[in-house]
């Protein structure tokens, strides 16, 4: 288990007869890192288009007029705290304690759901006032970037439901823990992307 | 209600034009014939269990190659139609409408790039990379199968418009915005193009991740990075380009689709949209894509030259560095595709200079190949013919490339046939010739017998002569001012003789293709005479030749320990050819091997993704929802399946190995 990318597979985990399981799960984590980097490039394209089209409001409202900072701040806090609780859940997973692990994942899930519902309600508010994605190129790029992140969060939430089921019904195995490890990685990754969205979309939109 | 069930599908979508009817009938005939054949010979179970659901990279590689070959014929018919139109459409409409003509060259470009060239490369990489690095499998066998089936789903989608719709995109292979926007292109053709690229692009991305992890993590003990064969190196660089460039393609075509489906304004003329952004984004993917198409071919040439010169490759380190330099530079040149956009002299100069710089590492590679041949004992087998032809054509392509890298010169030939001739020189001369060389070279490893050499060389001459007869007139036409993609022209231009010459070249190339098909038939018929019993028909240098031909499904009964670059060559020198070793057959040496089970999940997921894409093309909600939920449910089921592997015991391996040695 040389350079195992912080997978921290617990020594108690049963390794199969050939002793190859730990290494195999390690390889999965490595591939998942590469996948995250490709996903990051998709986000990079969306950020670039947003920055190009930021001022192409076509006579419509700009970000400064539209963004409601308190609710955005609430979203951000929910997501940042969820990243922390996700880490707590992973600590419990490595200790192989089922109930606390599920509890922390449940807290993470609830925070993620709060984030998502705040975001969706923000979208509905914009659409209700006629500022939908057809209004201007700026709003097209705003909705696309933020909703793509939201879609990732939604997938993360689905994954988390599966993860809680699995913790409850299945024993901790290397296969199982590495799956949870990748979920945590995915969740932190989305947190990171959100920090950039907060800065580039909302922060710059509000100030500049 | 009708809208809910059929979306935008109407009765107009059924085939009613001569070419859609002809294509539909031929597709139906092909399907009926294959169904009858499989039922008659009772091969359905065999096909499903042995092939379609297989996770063995060798079988997946073969399926990629067969798929690419099928698509190659589709692309070839397209180009024949284009050239016929251009030969006869003087002062007249020709035999195709302008719209139909545009659809054909669009389809030709997409099919040849995404499904033929990339298909062949993925096929050969699946076969050869695990063997060359001394691995039993790729890192993610299931992902490999999924990548194949997503690519196939994309390939089906790009051909489906014949049966349903009747319209393909008429925008050029990159779906140029704003022409591809709903305003100018309301039919479903562009959506077919977008979703075909989404599916196959995702497949390529998954394959890219898989190969990178495989090359980094699964090498045999002792094979350090600088001991890897050059084909592994260049494929690695190609895959690096894939994982960085293909997400850009996915995002860009998705934005175009959002414009078309949700009425957004990324690339529209109105509401603040920015069409030039589309050019920037699509070429940020498009230029690395060019090198994705040529880098693996460079690696194949390196293997072939070293083997047939019976000498180690000259300047190994500089070859690796050259490959790496090309990889990095290819990200920094995308703007040379639209110097005429008017970005200003500073920007154009930067991109022009970087483009010229690429000639340096390319030159390093060519000189190293030539130095490898120098004082080597060269064997002129047919792969070597393809290589020599490639060097000649590559010179032409390189010179015209550097010529166009200069912005003032580019302004003169921008979007002319000169450009078309240049990139065909590169893709046919480098990628396709490389594919043919590679297929001929590795064919005995794949099938267990050699291809007929005489016919192979004959096919080469047809291709080489046909190539020059086709494309030299296009260079001349470019200088005479002929723009690309025109369906008719005036007789006073004086272009017709050159167009007809190009058509003649196409006929010669077709002669080459027919000889190649005949070569396959003859080689299979006479396989007993060309059998490869040693596993090493060319006196090879790298590890793939140390296995029997074709290799057992676990590749290596015992994973070799690597000590040098041309490991197999050194093994033979030391008298340690594994096939000839007595101990190799002994039971004690073997250990249990863990191998991936077959899985149909790749087919199911691709099937649902295909359903989703098709539904989105026609704006039908309910199959889209079924496709999406089906995909997610399949993923969840898969994530709960912990038993994806089985163990092949040492005793079974011993039995297989012993039977092979005796047989």
């Amino acid at each position: 288990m040389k350079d195992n990318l912080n997978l921290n597979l617990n020594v108690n985990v049963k390794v199969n007869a050939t002793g190859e399981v730990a290494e195999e799960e390690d390889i999965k984590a490595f591939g998942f890192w590469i996948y995250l980097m490709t996903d990051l490039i998709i986000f990079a394209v969306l950020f670039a288009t947003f920055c190009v089209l930021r001022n192409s409001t076509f006579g419509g409202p700009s970000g400064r007029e539209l963004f409601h900072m308190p609710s955005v701040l609430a979203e951000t806090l929910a997501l940042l705290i969820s990243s922390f609780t996700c880490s707590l859940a992973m600590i419990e997973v490595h200790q192989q304690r089922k109930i606390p692990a599920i509890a922390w994942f449940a807290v993470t899930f609830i925070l993620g759901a709060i984030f998502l519902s705040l975001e969706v309600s923000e979208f509905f508010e914009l659409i209700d006032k006629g500022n939908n994605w057809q209004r201007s190129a700026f709003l097209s790029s705003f909705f696309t970037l933020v909703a793509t992140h939201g879609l990732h969060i939604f997938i993360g939430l689905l994954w988390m439901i599966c993860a809680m089921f699995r913790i409850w019904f299945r024993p901790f195995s290397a296969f199982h823990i590495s799956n949870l490890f990748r979920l945590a990685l995915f969740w932190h990754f989305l947190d990171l992307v959100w920090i950039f969205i907060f800065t580039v979309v909302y922060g710059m939109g509000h100030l500049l | 209600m009708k809208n809910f069930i059929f979306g935008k599908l109407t009765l107009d979508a059924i085939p009613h034009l001569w070419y859609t009817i002809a294509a539909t009938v031929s597709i139906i005939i092909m399907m009926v014939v294959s169904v009858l054949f499989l039922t008659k010979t009772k091969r359905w179970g065999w096909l499903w269990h042995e092939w379609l659901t297989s996770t063995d990279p060798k079988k997946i590689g073969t399926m990629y190659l067969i798929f690419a070959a099928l698509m190659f014929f589709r692309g070839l018919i397209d180009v024949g139609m284009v050239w016929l139109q251009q030969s006869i459409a003087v002062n007249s409409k020709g035999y195709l409408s302008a719209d139909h003509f545009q659809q054909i060259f669009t389809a030709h470009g997409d099919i040849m790039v995404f499904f033929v060239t990339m298909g062949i490369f993925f096929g050969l990489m699946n076969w050869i990379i695990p063997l060359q690095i001394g691995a039993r499998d790729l890192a993610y066998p299931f992902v490999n199968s999924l990548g194949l089936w997503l690519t196939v789903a994309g390939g089906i989608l790009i051909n489906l418009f014949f049966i349903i719709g009747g319209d393909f995109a008429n925008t050029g292979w990159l779906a140029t915005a704003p022409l591809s926007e709903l305003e100018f292109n309301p039919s479903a053709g562009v959506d077919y193009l977008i979703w075909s690229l989404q599916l196959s692009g995702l497949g390529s991305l998954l394959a890219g991740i898989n190969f990178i992890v495989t090359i980094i993590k699964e090498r045999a003990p002792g094979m350090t990075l600088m001991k890897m064969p050059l084909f592994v190196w260049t494929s690695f660089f190609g895959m690096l380009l894939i994982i960085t460039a293909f997400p850009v393609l996915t995002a860009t075509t998705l934005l175009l689709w959002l414009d078309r489906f949700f009425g957004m304004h990324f690339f529209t003329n109105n509401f603040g949209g920015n069409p030039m952004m589309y050019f920037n984004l699509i070429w940020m993917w498009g230029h690395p894509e060019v090198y994705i198409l040529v880098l693996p071919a460079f690696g194949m040439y390196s293997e072939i030259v070293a083997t047939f010169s019976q000498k180690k490759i000259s300047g190994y380190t500089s070859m690796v560095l050259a490959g790496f330099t090309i990889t990095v530079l290819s990200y920094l040149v995308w703007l040379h595709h639209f110097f005429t956009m008017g970005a200003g002299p500073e920007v154009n100069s930067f991109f022009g200079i970087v483009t010229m710089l690429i000639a340096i590492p390319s030159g390093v590679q060519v000189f190293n190949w030539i130095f490898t041949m120098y004082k080597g004992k060269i064997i002129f087998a047919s792969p070597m013919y393809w290589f020599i032809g490639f060097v000649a054509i590559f010179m032409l392509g390189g010179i015209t490339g550097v010529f166009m890298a200069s912005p003032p010169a580019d302004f003169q030939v921008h979007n002319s046939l000169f450009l078309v001739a240049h990139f065909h020189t590169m893709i046919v001369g480098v990628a396709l010739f490389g594919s043919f060389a590679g297929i001929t070279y590795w064919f005995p490893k794949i099938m267990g017998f050699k291809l007929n050499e005489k016919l192979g060389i004959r096919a080469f001459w047809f291709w080489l002569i046909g190539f020059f007869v086709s494309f030299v007139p296009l260079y001349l036409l470019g200088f005479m001012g002929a723009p690309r993609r025109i369906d008719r022209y005036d007789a006073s231009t004086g272009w017709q003789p050159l167009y007809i010459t190009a058509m003649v070249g196409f006929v010669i190339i077709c002669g080459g293709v027919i000889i190649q098909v005949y070569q396959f038939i003859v080689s299979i018929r006479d396989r007993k005479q060309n059998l490869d019993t040693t596993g090493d028909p060319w006196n090879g240098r790298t590890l793939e030749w140390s296995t029997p031909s074709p290799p057992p499904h676990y590749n290596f009964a015992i994973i070799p320990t690597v000590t040098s670059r041309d490991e197999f060559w050194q093994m033979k020198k030391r008298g340690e050819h594994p096939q000839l070793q007595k101990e190799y057959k002994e039971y004690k040496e073997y250990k249990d091997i863990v191998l991936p089970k077959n899985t149909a999940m790749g087919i199911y997921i691709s099937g649902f993704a295909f359903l989703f894409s098709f539904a989105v093309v026609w704006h039908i909600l309910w199959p889209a929802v079924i496709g999406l939920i089906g995909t997610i449910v399949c993923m969840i089921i898969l994530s709960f399946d912990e038993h994806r592997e089985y163990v092949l015991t040492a005793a079974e391996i011993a039995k297989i190995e012993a039977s092979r040695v005796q047989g």
Side-chain angles (χ1 to χ4, degrees):
Chain A
M1 267 177 47
K2 52 189 169 152
D3 50 77
N4 63 356
L5 298 162
N6 299 326
L7 188 49
N8 289 331
L9 288 179
N10 197 297
V11 279
N12 298 330
V13 172
K14 275 187 192 161
V15 173
N16 82 352
T18 55
E20 282 175 358
V21 162
E23 201 191 325
E24 194 189 311
E25 300 306 328
D26 182 42
I27 288 172
K28 280 187 195 167
F30 179 57
F32 196 76
W33 270 105
I34 297 180
Y35 151 71
L36 287 181
M37 295 306 106
T38 63
D39 214 1
L40 202 60
I41 291 171
I42 290 183
F43 277 110
V45 171
L46 298 180
F47 273 109
T49 42
F50 177 81
C51 289
V52 169
L53 299 174
R54 210 162 65 86
N55 296 318
S56 304
T57 53
F58 201 66
S62 67
R64 187 199 288 248
E65 295 159 51
L66 290 177
F67 299 146
H68 184 56
M69 288 312 272
S71 83
V72 176
L73 206 59
E75 280 176 51
T76 308
L77 281 176
L79 203 61
L80 286 180
I81 296 169
S82 83
S83 219
F84 177 64
T85 55
C86 182
S87 299
L88 293 179
M90 282 314 286
I91 291 174
E92 301 300 339
V93 167
H94 288 306
Q95 307 286 331
Q96 307 209 5
R97 290 198 293 240
K98 283 192 169 192
I99 304 292
I102 291 175
W104 282 120
F105 270 125
V107 175
T108 313
F109 180 87
I110 290 165
L111 286 166
I114 289 173
F115 168 86
L116 205 58
S117 55
L118 281 172
E119 186 172 297
V120 170
S121 69
E122 185 201 354
F123 282 176
F124 274 114
E125 208 180 302
L126 285 173
I127 293 166
D128 277 346
K129 287 181 184 154
N131 298 318
N132 63 10
W133 51 78
Q134 299 185 343
R135 179 66 193 83
S136 69
F138 154 66
L139 281 165
S140 298
S141 61
F142 164 77
F143 273 105
T144 305
L145 171 56
V146 180
T148 304
H149 178 264
L151 190 67
H152 277 76
I153 292 280
F154 180 72
I155 293 167
L157 291 179
L158 280 184
W159 190 350
M160 220 172 277
I161 295 174
C162 298
M164 288 189 280
F165 265 100
R166 202 175 358 214
I167 296 173
W168 183 252
F169 288 110
R170 296 263 176 103
F172 285 107
S173 63
F175 177 90
H176 183 174
I177 293 179
S178 90
N179 184 296
L180 295 171
F181 172 77
R182 291 195 297 277
L183 168 62
L185 211 56
F186 186 65
W187 199 254
H188 296 314
F189 164 76
L190 294 181
D191 202 15
L192 187 74
V193 173
W194 179 258
I195 290 170
F196 280 94
I197 290 180
F198 183 73
T199 316
V200 173
V201 177
Y202 295 101
M204 276 166 60
H206 196 68
L207 297 171
L208 301 175
Chain B
M1 190 61 195
K2 190 166 152 284
N3 252 341
F4 178 76
I5 298 175
F6 293 114
K8 282 167 82 177
L9 260 181
T10 59
L11 280 178
D12 289 341
I14 60 167
H16 58 277
L17 302 160
W18 66 267
Y19 55 95
T20 49
I21 292 172
T24 307
V25 169
S26 50
I27 289 170
I28 289 172
I29 290 174
M30 277 192 281
M31 280 166 67
V32 169
V33 168
S34 6
V35 167
L36 283 180
F37 176 76
L38 289 167
T39 315
K40 185 97 190 191
T41 52
K42 296 190 176 146
R43 293 228 166 122
W44 282 106
W46 166 81
L47 183 71
W48 182 258
H49 295 294
E50 292 288 313
W51 287 95
L52 302 186
T53 58
S54 175
T55 48
D56 180 350
K58 295 184 282 303
K59 285 186 173 161
I60 289 176
T62 306
M63 287 189 279
Y64 263 118
L65 289 172
I66 292 170
F67 171 69
L70 287 175
M71 296 301 268
F72 175 73
F73 289 109
R74 163 80 211 282
L76 201 67
I77 293 170
D78 284 343
V79 73
M81 291 174 79
V82 166
W83 259 332
L84 185 61
Q85 166 82 4
Q86 290 184 323
S87 308
I88 61 177
V90 190
N91 290 346
S92 75
K93 283 166 75 175
Y95 74 112
L96 298 172
S97 70
D99 192 50
H100 185 196
F101 176 80
Q102 289 157 356
Q103 292 177 26
I104 295 173
F105 67 65
T106 304
H108 166 73
D110 284 317
I111 286 174
M112 286 303 196
V113 168
F114 287 97
F115 299 108
V116 178
T117 320
M118 293 190 71
I120 294 174
F121 285 158
F122 280 136
L124 286 177
M125 278 189 229
N126 260 303
W127 257 99
I128 300 307
I129 285 185
L131 288 169
Q132 281 197 332
I133 62 174
R136 294 210 165 97
D137 201 347
L138 294 190
Y140 313 115
F142 161 72
V143 173
N144 196 15
S145 153
L146 179 62
L148 165 72
W149 291 111
L150 283 173
T151 309
V152 172
I156 295 173
L157 202 65
I158 208 172
N159 285 300
L160 196 66
F161 77 96
F162 280 129
I163 303 174
I164 304 163
D167 264 328
F168 192 61
N170 57 6
T171 52
W173 72 292
L174 289 175
T176 311
L179 178 62
S180 52
E181 292 287 353
L182 204 59
E183 189 185 349
F184 307 107
N185 241 313
S187 78
V190 179
D191 297 307
Y192 268 129
L193 172 56
I194 290 173
W195 284 96
S196 169
L197 298 198
Q198 289 289 350
L199 290 177
S200 63
L202 188 60
S204 305
L205 183 63
L206 291 175
I209 295 176
N210 207 346
F211 280 112
I212 284 189
V213 177
T214 306
I215 292 171
I216 292 183
K217 290 278 185 183
E218 307 271 331
R219 295 191 310 277
M223 182 176 277
T224 55
L225 285 176
M226 290 309 271
K227 288 200 183 89
M228 294 198 307
L230 279 169
F231 177 59
V232 178
W233 262 119
T234 55
S235 301
F236 181 69
F237 292 137
M239 296 302 112
L240 273 185
L241 286 170
I242 281 187
I243 62 163
T244 40
F246 266 76
V248 181
L249 175 75
T250 303
T252 309
T253 47
L254 200 71
L255 295 182
L256 179 64
W257 175 74
L258 290 173
D259 273 4
R260 291 175 58 86
F261 193 87
F262 287 109
M264 291 196 180
H265 300 289
F266 286 102
F267 313 120
T268 54
N269 285 336
N270 218 338
F271 289 91
N274 190 342
M276 276 327 291
M277 194 167 65
Y278 187 81
F279 279 81
N280 272 296
L281 288 173
I282 202 79
W283 281 116
M284 271 179 209
W285 159 78
H287 200 86
E289 168 70 11
V290 175
Y291 288 92
I292 294 166
L293 297 181
V294 300
L295 277 170
F298 284 170
M300 292 178 201
Y301 292 127
S302 300
E303 301 293 328
I304 287 164
V305 172
T307 302
F308 292 105
S309 304
Q310 306 196 55
K311 201 162 152 263
K312 75 177 189 345
I313 191 88
S314 155
Y316 175 92
T317 313
S318 65
M319 290 296 261
V320 174
L321 286 176
F324 182 68
T325 315
I326 291 175
T327 308
V328 174
L329 288 180
S330 73
Y331 294 120
L332 303 172
V333 295
W334 80 87
L335 198 122
H336 70 209
H337 294 270
F338 42 92
F339 279 141
T340 51
M341 175 175 126
E346 300 88 351
V347 176
N348 281 358
S349 309
F350 171 81
F351 282 95
I353 290 167
V354 179
T355 307
M356 291 176 201
L357 282 180
I358 290 194
I360 297 172
S362 310
V364 167
Q365 301 231 354
V366 173
F367 280 115
N368 273 329
W369 289 320
I370 293 172
F371 292 151
T372 308
M373 291 198 290
Y374 180 65
K375 287 194 173 172
K377 290 180 200 143
I378 302 173
I379 302 164
F380 273 102
S382 55
M384 207 55 186
Y385 277 77
W386 291 108
F387 165 73
I388 306 258
F390 145 75
V391 173
I393 294 176
F394 192 46
M395 288 300 291
L396 178 66
I399 291 166
T400 54
V402 172
F403 172 73
M404 281 196 296
S406 160
D410 179 77
F411 270 59
Q412 303 305 316
V413 292
H414 180 80
N415 260 357
S416 73
L417 283 175
F418 188 88
L419 165 81
V420 174
H422 163 71
F423 73 71
H424 279 88
T425 306
M426 287 313 205
I427 293 184
V428 176
V430 182
L432 213 53
F433 275 35
S435 306
F436 295 148
I439 288 171
T440 318
Y441 178 57
W442 281 307
F443 192 84
K445 184 54 52 190
I446 295 172
M447 296 295 286
F449 55 91
K450 274 193 199 176
L451 281 173
N452 186 309
E453 278 288 287
K454 211 168 127 194
L455 287 169
I457 291 168
R458 209 166 286 171
F460 161 76
W461 284 114
F462 270 82
W463 265 95
L464 188 79
I465 295 167
F467 171 83
F468 281 109
V469 177
S470 293
F471 290 104
V472 170
L474 294 199
Y475 281 114
L476 299 176
L477 280 167
F479 280 134
M480 290 162 75
R484 67 195 292 200
R485 296 171 175 169
I486 48 167
D487 63 307
R488 71 190 77 164
Y489 50 92
D490 202 82
S492 63
T493 51
W495 294 339
Q496 196 185 17
L498 287 170
Y499 271 122
I500 291 176
T501 316
M503 178 77 197
V504 170
F506 168 73
V507 174
I508 299 174
I509 289 179
C510 281
V513 175
I514 290 167
I515 294 174
Q516 283 173 312
V517 173
Y518 183 62
Q519 181 194 15
F520 274 90
I521 295 169
V522 168
S523 308
I524 292 170
R525 192 192 64 198
D526 301 340
R527 62 184 174 279
K528 293 255 162 64
Q529 292 148 34
N530 297 321
L531 229 45
D532 169 28
T533 46
T534 58
D536 180 25
W538 310 110
N539 197 9
R541 313 180 67 82
T542 38
L543 280 176
E544 76 268 32
W545 304 112
S546 74
T547 60
S549 300
H553 57 295
Y554 45 78
N555 287 359
F556 298 91
I558 298 165
I559 298 281
T561 305
V562 177
T563 50
S564 67
R565 256 172 216 161
D566 291 326
E567 178 60 25
F568 183 53
W569 187 261
Q570 300 299 335
M571 274 183 191
K572 285 190 282 190
K573 264 189 163 174
R574 294 194 301 261
E576 292 171 7
H577 189 317
Q579 302 300 318
L580 309 174
Q581 292 290 305
K582 274 201 169 162
E583 307 89 277
Y584 204 73
K585 293 171 221 157
E586 274 178 26
Y587 173 73
K588 273 183 226 160
E589 293 263 351
Y590 300 122
K591 284 189 185 128
D592 291 357
I593 298 177
V594 182
L595 286 166
K597 280 183 197 164
N598 284 359
T599 169
M601 269 306 176
I603 295 182
Y604 296 150
I605 292 178
S606 304
F608 281 119
F610 176 82
L611 182 68
F612 173 79
S613 307
F614 175 75
V616 168
V617 167
W618 289 103
H619 297 226
I620 321 173
L621 184 66
W622 58 271
V625 173
I626 295 174
L628 202 59
I629 292 178
T631 310
I632 294 170
V633 169
C634 281
M635 301 278 238
I636 291 174
I637 292 173
L638 190 78
S639 76
F640 276 82
D641 178 15
E642 295 195 30
H643 308 288
R644 297 184 208 169
E645 287 160 337
Y646 68 97
V647 175
L648 195 68
T649 61
E652 285 170 296
I653 299 164
K655 213 184 274 173
I656 294 170
E657 293 290 315
S659 75
R660 193 171 45 74
V661 171
Q662 286 154 11

